[in-house]
Amino acid sequence: GQQLYRIIPRTILYARLGNKLPLHGNGTSERSFVHIHDVANATYRIALNGTVGTTYHISTKDTISIRDLVIKICELINVNFTDFVEESEERLGKDQSYMLDSEKLRKELRWKDTFDLNEGIASTVEWIDNNLDELKKLPHEYIHKP
């Protein structure tokens, strides 16, 4: 259920619709992707047992470049990366990486991520395929709300 303009659902949706995917800055920026079920589990643990006023970062230990992520998705859904991607300049102000340290959450509340990226991508592919007719009607680009 992630917003359709985010990279994972957008990549799958654009491939299903036959659209070219813009890959800003050659996709060199890196991200860590955590499954919503792991986020919900961490949030629940924090709510029950976290220390009031303390910050806990929820993140996997793994990072991947946007380019490698798109390649991974293309391989899974049998789309030719070179034909599908349209490389473009980096977006102004885009962060090169998002790195969060979840060690405090892991140690103090004994949390760990249980869904890996491949599982998350596969479930997102299934969700998009099952809802494609409705998703076609929705905006696929980010809409800035003032």
Side-chain angles (χ1 to χ4, degrees):
Q2 191 177 44
Q3 296 105 333
L4 296 177
Y5 65 84
R6 300 290 186 186
I7 190 63
I8 293 174
R10 185 178 188 190
T11 300
I12 300 162
L13 186 59
Y14 274 35
R16 294 300 194 230
L17 297 176
N19 297 343
K20 286 268 194 185
L21 179 75
L23 189 62
H24 302 288
N26 297 320
T28 59
S29 62
E30 292 187 343
R31 302 288 183 267
S32 172
F33 295 90
V34 60
H35 197 280
I36 189 60
H37 291 293
D38 288 332
V39 172
N41 178 273
T43 304
Y44 183 71
R45 285 173 185 254
I46 294 165
L48 290 181
N49 300 308
T51 303
V52 174
T54 298
T55 300
Y56 297 94
H57 295 290
I58 305 169
S59 180
T60 67
K61 294 181 179 181
D62 301 320
T63 60
I64 187 170
S65 73
I66 298 301
R67 180 182 203 83
D68 288 343
L69 174 69
V70 172
I71 289 170
K72 181 185 284 280
I73 294 170
C74 286
E75 289 171 353
L76 179 71
I77 61 176
N78 297 315
V79 169
N80 182 295
F81 174 83
T82 306
D83 295 337
F84 174 55
V85 168
E86 187 173 81
E87 297 195 19
S88 63
E89 291 185 22
E90 189 65 87
R91 292 182 322 203
L92 188 61
K94 184 176 175 188
D95 295 324
Q96 179 58 31
S97 64
Y98 296 144
M99 305 291 191
L100 295 177
D101 184 356
S102 59
E103 282 307 306
K104 184 190 313 184
L105 175 63
R106 292 172 186 280
K107 288 180 181 175
E108 288 182 19
L109 303 180
R110 293 189 295 282
W111 176 83
K112 64 179 180 176
D113 47 308
T114 58
F115 289 85
D116 72 13
L117 182 58
N118 293 328
E119 291 173 305
I121 292 170
S123 67
T124 305
V125 168
E126 182 179 358
W127 176 77
I128 287 175
D129 287 345
N130 289 337
N131 296 283
L132 191 56
D133 289 338
E134 286 301 313
L135 296 173
K136 287 178 186 178
K137 302 173 190 174
L138 300 174
H140 308 144
E141 302 290 330
Y142 175 74
I143 300 171
H144 179 73
K145 297 177 184 175

